[in-house]
Amino acid sequence: MPVKTDARVPSILPFFPLGFPDETIGSRVSRYHIRRGRPTIQVTYKQLFDKAPFSLTGLVQPNLDKLAERLPGLPRHNLVQLQNDSTLLPLFQQFFGPKSATRHPDRIPGPPLIKLPRRIKGDNRLTYICTHCLVDDERDHGCPYIHRAHQIPGVTACWKHSIRLLDRCPSCGCPFAEPKQLILSAWMGCECGCALADQARPDLQPASAVEVEFARFAQVLLAAKPSKLSIEQLIDIYKVRAIEIGCQWGDKRVNHSMLLGKIEAHFGAELFAKIDPAYKSGKTEHWLNILCAHSAVEAPLTRHLMAAYFLFRDATLFLSRADAILYAKPELGDPPHITGVAPRSSNDNVESIKRPEEELLDELVNLAQRDHYDIAQLWRHHFGSMKRVVKLLPNASEVIERRLASAAAKQKKDAARALKVREQRLVRDAQWSEAVKASAVELYGENARPVRVTKNRLLQASKSKSKSSWPAGPGFPLTAAAISANEESLWHFYARRILWTLQCLHDPHTTEHKIIALSKLEVNKFRVIMEYFSDFVPCGGGSIQVIKSILKSRGLAKNWQGPCPEREFYKAGRAYRLRTARRGPIWRPRWRYTTGCLTLGHTIRVKRSQMDIHCLPIARSDETLYSVVARIRLANAARNDIDACQSLFGHSRNTRVSDFPVNLKRFCDVTQDCFGDPARVLADMTLSGFFERLGSRPWNSGSAPAPIIAAGYGLSTLSNGAAGRWRMCLHCVESDLRCHATAFWRRAHHLPTAFVCPIHATPLASCMLAPLERHKRFLLPEQIEAAPLKAYVDWAAHYHTLNRLTMLGMDVLKDTRQSIDADTVHATLLNALDNHGLLTATGMLRRVPFSSEFVHRYQFLSGHRDFTPALSPQGIAILQRSFIHPAPPRSAIHNLLLVDWLFGSWQAFHQHCHWQATMDCTPSQQARHAPEAAPQTHRRRCLEFLDSDGKATRSRFARAAPTSFRWLLRFDQTWFDATLPIRSKNKQPGLF
């Protein structure tokens, strides 16, 4: 008798289109829908998948096994063909390989198939189309279609035509992919009537070279046979290649920060953020977890593609390394469970596979422990799981209760054990703390040659005093505090060692070199300490008590940071780096080629220098002083760049080339005034005149300013306006190299508001220059990598504003008129603010409207590092205070932004200042006019304070009568200075 069954055998489809090369499964389903006469979407999905409509645009296409059963042939073979030819499975297998095996191999007969995970990071449900590919496919195959290579995560360009991919209609902006709908735009056009094939133009959104290379790399990996590497083998390939390209730390480790920095520099911040959403949101801390076996599987496919592309650049090289490691290191591979290979069937593996009821029990127990559920609540909140487990195991409720009781008992036992351990740790912490303090007293009291008291030495000395075990972990706060309070800094140790060495000398006239050898300390720090203790009398025998009394009298604690904490010293030992550029590029002096140089009649020799000046380069228009000095060094022979600076500017203890003190009188004497006198050099090669006209110096001139010609300001500060500002125009560099063989730095590129090159009208590039690199040698523009300033500013939206600010700075630089008086400038700005309605009736600034208007105009510049301090809330508060107390000058950026906002141009501002000086109408004096209150009240309070306090000072009066103090200081300063003058302090008492 035949047995009746409910299983329905799926019918074979009479027609399903064959796939074109690199066609997606969604494209094949859409073509089937169109060729079947465009029935409803529900009918098409019912015929193919026997399912309601679902999305076919994601990286993971479900229900392909349903379609495989409806195609002629074996379902298993059909599914393998669909996954390999019409999905991104081959690309996933390149990086995840056998780790992606399905957990339910019994759904389709045959060996288990590799299946993509159900959730993938980076699956944005968009469909990308290349319009040129649509035209080519129509010509070559008779029908357009959607390509797999365009749907790879992170790919933004067509690998074949080098143009940007489209994910929406270029006419109306409607996305090609709609939720749970087929994509018909490639064949039927958009709903707005736009035909995508008509949008194929040669100038349509060209892609960058990096985008095209990345797309080609991913396309080759997709088309290649999957290597099916294990995660351990893939990580080994990454690490070996990273060490080969120089990202090495130690012997066989990878320098993660260097590798991530190189990847970011190669892709650029804009493209990096477009490809990787984590980078766009600032989450880069765990970006290189692809190098860790426990987290590489969870990393997005995009991240693996970016890392593999950067490390190998050539997909064939990556594939060859993958094939090589499969044979070289098979021990790193996984057990074979790929299509066509039978899984292991040992007894251990069979026993290790859990039964379904065990999995359900473990899941329910974990849920109950997490949410504190009992059996009744489990039935209420997880009815389906409880029903399934009871069918498989009738006494499942009792088993769950036993497991929960066992887990509760274990948790209680663990809590008691943790409490006991915590109590024991508190006792050990107190013992170790006392032992560390006692050991510190002994170590600092030893009457022997001082040895530095470090954390490890304190613990080693305390080990015999404390009977408890070693204090490991963060649970010893008292011990950590005792160690922090008793370990000494490097400078404190140097002071103790040097004082001991001086005490133990037999001859008070021992040379410094011999003292250094006896102390066995670093030379530069030794000399600083010796200068600090220059009044110490050597000899007399070593006494640690005398040393402790000397340190105590000078107030030198154990954490003393030295006499000059702001000074940087070269690191000794393994951290030492070469100080000069001797191992860098060797610049050959131009002995035979004198083109563009002024050849001197005789050799200029400078005392105490190794540089012989035979020829001088001709100064170019708008060239900075730094650039001229660098080209002088390039054209002549010197031992190093520091000697070249000392030859031109005189001897100095400064070892930084970029900040070397400038003495223009010495420079003009050495160069025999070939570049003009000091005033001419200062005006033509530096930005001092620019800042003088703005009334804002970027350097601190002190209370008694010296002339800039001999004040010794830094070379890059005078030339560029700031030590960290290095900009250039790439077109200018190419032009200079073509005309002069060397490029040079321009003053116009280093103005605070310089965004555009005034010659080529192109955005300037910011030089990515490490401080140590610019300190140790001269650098010209062609020797430096540069990044465009576009990355910090929305260039397209604010082009006109940036161009106007650039022209404003150029007008200030080219202005040769006499500088405007500071009071006149202040009065002119107040008048302009009054005209804009930003001053009250009493002449005070309306802070809130001023701040909102200022931020509204220039907030787009806050991402630029030069403008971030000026546009921050603190910077705007400082700017507002400058209108009340103009004594500290405003910054150059603030002055330029105010001129641009209130006047529009430098010429208009200069005319307003001239009118203000002519009319002599200073609103600042009106704003500071005293109120109607009689001054006798505040004067009387001051006189009464003088009579009552025998040690009257201004600070005491400010605390006693703050209102009268502020009133007299603001409106009656002449009387206040005569009655209660400022007491001058003798800063060096008893020195002579």
Side-chain angles (χ1 to χ4, degrees):
M1 179 177 180
V3 180
K4 184 177 180 181
T5 177
D6 295 333
R8 184 163 55 107
V9 178
S11 60
I12 303 299
L13 292 173
F15 159 77
F16 188 73
L18 294 176
F20 291 121
D22 196 45
E23 185 178 10
T24 64
I25 185 63
S27 176
R28 295 176 65 180
V29 173
S30 298
R31 289 197 294 118
Y32 172 85
H33 175 78
I34 294 173
R35 297 188 65 178
R36 292 288 290 180
R38 296 178 62 188
T40 62
I41 302 295
Q42 289 77 6
V43 172
T44 299
Y45 273 85
K46 189 69 174 177
Q47 293 173 353
L48 296 180
F49 303 102
D50 196 19
K51 293 282 185 180
F54 56 89
S55 178
L56 288 172
T57 60
L59 302 180
V60 179
Q61 290 84 14
N63 302 318
L64 291 186
D65 53 341
K66 306 292 185 181
L67 178 61
E69 293 174 354
R70 286 165 169 79
L71 297 178
L74 295 176
R76 179 168 56 87
H77 293 165
N78 294 337
L79 180 57
V80 170
Q81 186 176 6
L82 287 174
Q83 289 181 334
N84 290 338
D85 298 343
S86 302
T87 69
L88 295 179
L89 173 64
L91 186 60
F92 275 85
Q93 288 179 334
Q94 299 287 4
F95 298 99
F96 300 104
K99 287 292 185 182
S100 302
T102 177
R103 294 178 55 189
H104 303 284
D106 53 343
R107 292 182 178 175
I108 298 179
L113 300 175
I114 292 181
K115 183 179 179 181
L116 300 179
R118 298 181 62 185
R119 186 182 69 87
I120 296 180
K121 300 177 182 177
D123 189 356
N124 54 11
R125 302 287 177 176
L126 293 178
T127 296
Y128 295 89
I129 294 176
C130 171
T131 55
H132 288 259
C133 287
L134 294 180
V135 176
D136 293 348
D137 296 338
E138 180 75 27
R139 183 187 64 245
D140 299 337
H141 303 287
C143 178
Y145 60 91
I146 301 174
H147 290 254
R148 285 188 306 165
H150 298 163
Q151 319 308 320
I152 299 175
V155 172
T156 59
C158 176
W159 63 272
K160 186 177 181 181
H161 298 98
S162 303
I163 62 171
R164 293 278 177 86
L165 298 175
L166 300 178
D167 64 341
R168 60 192 65 245
C169 175
S171 178
C172 65
C174 175
F176 299 143
E178 300 179 16
K180 299 182 180 180
Q181 295 291 327
L182 295 177
I183 303 158
L184 305 176
S185 303
W187 300 269
M188 312 302 299
C190 184
E191 295 292 338
C192 66
C194 176
L196 297 182
D198 297 339
Q199 302 294 325
R201 300 191 305 270
D203 58 342
L204 181 63
Q205 294 180 330
S208 63
V210 177
E211 291 179 281
V212 176
E213 292 177 2
F214 180 65
R216 290 173 180 170
F217 181 87
Q219 187 272 336
V220 174
L221 289 186
L222 176 62
K225 181 181 178 181
S227 56
K228 300 177 183 178
L229 295 170
S230 68
I231 292 300
E232 289 78 9
Q233 290 170 334
L234 181 65
I235 293 173
D236 188 75
I237 290 179
Y238 286 160
K239 290 183 177 180
V240 171
R241 183 58 179 172
I243 293 174
E244 289 179 359
I245 65 174
C247 300
Q248 183 175 3
W249 180 42
D251 186 15
K252 294 181 180 180
R253 302 178 68 181
V254 178
N255 191 332
H256 287 204
S257 59
M258 180 186 296
L259 178 58
L260 183 58
K262 287 187 176 183
I263 295 176
E264 182 179 5
H266 180 74
F267 281 93
E270 182 179 359
L271 180 58
F272 207 138
K274 185 186 299 184
I275 296 177
D276 193 338
Y279 179 84
K280 183 178 181 180
S281 59
K283 300 176 182 179
T284 59
E285 181 181 359
H286 304 289
W287 201 92
L288 285 178
N289 278 1
I290 56 175
L291 301 180
C292 302
H294 64 277
S295 57
V297 181
E298 300 297 331
L301 175 63
T302 309
R303 199 164 297 173
H304 282 281
L305 277 174
M306 294 178 68
Y309 161 70
F310 174 77
L311 292 173
F312 295 93
R313 306 294 173 88
D314 186 3
T316 56
L317 177 60
F318 173 79
L319 295 172
S320 63
R321 291 291 182 91
D323 294 338
I325 199 173
L326 287 174
Y327 295 99
K329 297 183 178 181
E331 68 277 1
L332 298 179
D334 290 323
H337 49 285
I338 311 173
T339 304
V341 182
R344 293 182 181 178
S345 57
S346 62
N347 295 331
D348 296 337
N349 289 339
V350 173
E351 294 176 359
S352 63
I353 299 176
K354 290 187 176 181
R355 292 176 296 177
E357 60 269 21
E358 291 295 330
E359 292 184 356
L360 286 172
L361 286 173
D362 293 342
E363 181 181 356
L364 290 170
V365 169
N366 291 334
L367 290 173
Q369 291 177 344
R370 186 191 67 184
D371 299 328
H372 305 287
Y373 288 165
D374 55 11
I375 295 297
Q377 291 173 320
L378 282 176
W379 276 105
R380 178 181 178 183
H381 296 286
H382 302 281
F383 181 82
S385 299
M386 288 293 294
K387 185 176 181 181
R388 288 196 300 272
V389 75
V390 168
K391 285 184 178 180
L392 297 173
L393 189 66
N395 62 337
S397 298
E398 299 177 0
V399 175
I400 293 176
E401 287 181 346
R402 287 198 301 269
R403 292 191 181 185
L404 290 177
S406 176
K410 182 177 181 300
Q411 186 178 6
K412 184 177 180 180
K413 185 177 179 181
D414 292 342
R417 185 185 298 110
L419 180 62
K420 183 177 180 181
V421 170
R422 191 179 301 111
E423 293 175 353
Q424 294 176 353
R425 185 172 294 176
L426 290 176
V427 175
R428 290 169 52 200
D429 187 22
Q431 295 175 355
W432 271 101
S433 175
E434 296 299 328
V436 166
K437 294 177 182 178
S439 300
V441 173
E442 294 180 2
L443 292 175
Y444 284 109
E446 285 182 345
N447 197 27
R449 184 184 184 186
V451 180
R452 185 178 179 185
V453 181
T454 61
K455 173 183 177 180
N456 187 51
R457 195 154 179 257
L458 284 170
L459 291 175
Q460 290 291 348
S462 306
K463 189 175 181 180
S464 59
K465 297 180 178 61
S466 178
K467 303 299 182 182
S468 58
S469 59
W470 194 266
F476 294 84
L478 298 178
T479 306
I483 291 174
S484 177
N486 289 284
E487 65 176 343
E488 64 177 339
S489 66
L490 181 65
W491 288 99
H492 188 269
F493 161 65
Y494 268 53
R496 293 201 304 137
R497 173 67 69 85
I498 290 174
L499 291 177
W500 176 271
T501 306
L502 293 176
Q503 285 180 340
C504 295
L505 293 177
H506 298 287
D507 183 7
H509 302 290
T510 305
T511 61
E512 183 186 77
H513 175 72
K514 191 171 183 180
I515 298 176
I516 294 175
L518 292 173
S519 64
K520 297 183 179 180
L521 299 177
E522 198 269 331
V523 176
N524 296 308
K525 296 185 179 68
F526 174 88
R527 289 172 177 167
V528 172
I529 296 292
M530 284 292 293
E531 184 179 354
Y532 183 77
F533 291 103
S534 58
D535 57 342
F536 180 76
V537 180
C539 303
S543 174
I544 201 67
Q545 298 301 327
V546 174
I547 293 175
K548 291 171 68 175
S549 62
I550 293 173
L551 297 179
K552 185 177 181 181
S553 64
R554 293 179 182 256
L556 305 185
K558 297 173 184 176
N559 60 348
W560 184 46
Q561 297 302 315
C564 48
E566 73 283 351
R567 180 178 172 184
E568 295 182 3
F569 292 86
Y570 283 97
K571 296 181 180 179
R574 295 183 178 179
Y576 176 76
R577 294 293 182 270
L578 194 63
R579 302 185 186 185
T580 63
R582 290 195 298 267
R583 293 184 185 176
I586 301 175
W587 307 112
R588 298 187 180 277
R590 301 183 179 181
W591 305 109
R592 301 180 181 178
Y593 304 97
T594 57
T595 303
C597 298
L598 296 175
T599 305
L600 302 180
H602 59 279
T603 300
I604 300 176
R605 294 191 179 273
V606 186
K607 294 181 180 180
R608 297 182 301 174
S609 174
Q610 301 296 327
M611 181 171 175
D612 298 336
I613 302 178
H614 296 275
C615 60
L616 296 174
I618 297 176
R620 298 166 188 167
S621 176
D622 200 41
E623 186 174 9
T624 64
L625 180 61
Y626 176 92
S627 180
V628 171
V629 175
R631 293 200 295 123
I632 293 175
R633 164 71 177 94
L634 184 63
N636 298 278
R639 186 174 59 181
N640 52 50
D641 293 351
I642 290 295
D643 284 347
C645 291
Q646 292 180 353
S647 303
L648 295 172
F649 301 117
H651 180 73
S652 175
R653 298 182 65 180
N654 194 316
T655 59
R656 297 181 178 181
V657 173
S658 61
D659 296 336
F660 198 88
V662 174
N663 187 337
L664 290 180
K665 189 176 183 304
R666 167 63 181 262
F667 176 78
C668 294
D669 291 342
V670 171
T671 58
Q672 298 180 1
D673 291 337
C674 290
F675 302 104
D677 57 358
R680 176 73 178 277
V681 173
L682 187 67
D684 294 346
M685 298 184 183
T686 69
L687 294 179
S688 62
F690 173 85
F691 290 108
E692 289 291 341
R693 282 184 282 277
L694 286 175
S696 307
R697 289 186 177 182
W699 48 78
N700 184 13
S701 57
S703 58
I708 301 179
I709 294 175
Y713 297 122
L715 179 58
S716 59
T717 303
L718 279 178
S719 301
N720 305 343
R725 185 182 299 151
W726 300 85
R727 300 174 187 160
M728 63 180 174
C729 171
L730 301 180
H731 295 280
C732 289
V733 174
E734 294 178 1
S735 177
D736 295 339
L737 293 176
R738 186 169 56 252
C739 299
H740 308 290
T742 57
F744 63 94
W745 300 102
R746 288 173 168 81
R747 293 188 303 164
H749 296 166
H750 294 89
L751 301 178
T753 56
F755 299 95
V756 185
C757 175
I759 301 175
H760 299 94
T762 56
L764 296 178
S766 178
C767 303
M768 299 181 294
L769 197 61
L772 186 59
E773 289 295 324
R774 68 169 181 260
H775 289 337
K776 68 182 182 181
R777 63 189 178 100
F778 284 113
L779 292 168
L780 291 173
E782 66 267 20
Q783 301 173 261
I784 301 174
E785 296 182 3
L789 291 176
K790 287 181 172 182
Y792 309 102
V793 181
D794 189 355
W795 185 262
H798 305 283
Y799 173 77
H800 296 290
T801 304
L802 298 175
N803 195 28
R804 186 178 67 249
L805 289 173
T806 302
M807 291 300 104
L808 174 63
M810 290 296 301
D811 293 341
V812 179
L813 179 65
K814 295 178 180 179
D815 192 2
T816 57
R817 291 171 290 191
Q818 187 177 2
S819 300
I820 308 171
D821 181 67
D823 293 335
T824 304
V825 172
H826 186 69
T828 305
L829 291 176
L830 286 177
N831 270 334
L833 290 173
D834 193 14
N835 294 335
H836 283 72
L838 297 176
L839 292 183
T840 63
T842 58
M844 303 302 293
L845 181 68
R846 300 180 187 270
R847 292 176 177 264
V848 175
F850 173 86
S851 176
S852 61
E853 180 67 19
F854 191 78
V855 170
H856 174 71
R857 285 178 173 270
Y858 302 110
Q859 185 63 31
F860 70 94
L861 293 173
S862 59
H864 196 290
R865 66 176 185 178
D866 291 346
F867 288 81
T868 299
L871 296 174
S872 64
Q874 295 82 1
I876 296 177
I878 294 173
L879 175 60
Q880 292 173 342
R881 287 197 299 269
S882 67
F883 294 110
I884 303 175
H885 303 288
R890 283 180 289 271
S891 66
I893 291 179
H894 276 157
N895 279 333
L896 288 169
L897 294 181
L898 287 173
V899 171
D900 176 70
W901 172 26
L902 300 176
F903 303 96
S905 66
W906 178 253
Q907 182 66 24
F909 171 70
H910 209 281
Q911 291 176 356
H912 280 76
C913 289
H914 181 68
W915 178 87
Q916 183 69 34
T918 303
M919 300 301 293
D920 193 21
C921 179
T922 309
S924 61
Q925 297 177 359
Q926 300 173 6
R928 293 170 64 91
H929 182 69
E932 296 179 359
Q936 299 301 329
T937 303
H938 303 291
R939 290 186 178 183
R940 184 175 64 255
R941 291 177 184 173
C942 182
L943 294 175
E944 291 175 355
F945 173 76
L946 290 174
D947 295 338
S948 62
D949 195 337
K951 298 181 179 180
T953 60
R954 286 199 175 191
S955 60
R956 290 172 177 266
F957 179 59
R959 290 192 293 269
T963 304
S964 299
F965 173 79
R966 290 193 297 268
W967 194 95
L968 291 172
L969 190 64
R970 186 175 182 184
F971 302 114
D972 202 0
Q973 188 173 0
T974 304
W975 182 89
F976 192 41
D977 291 340
T979 306
L980 188 57
I982 300 175
R983 291 187 179 183
S984 60
K985 296 181 180 180
N986 187 7
K987 297 183 179 180
Q988 296 179 347
L991 186 60
F992 302 101

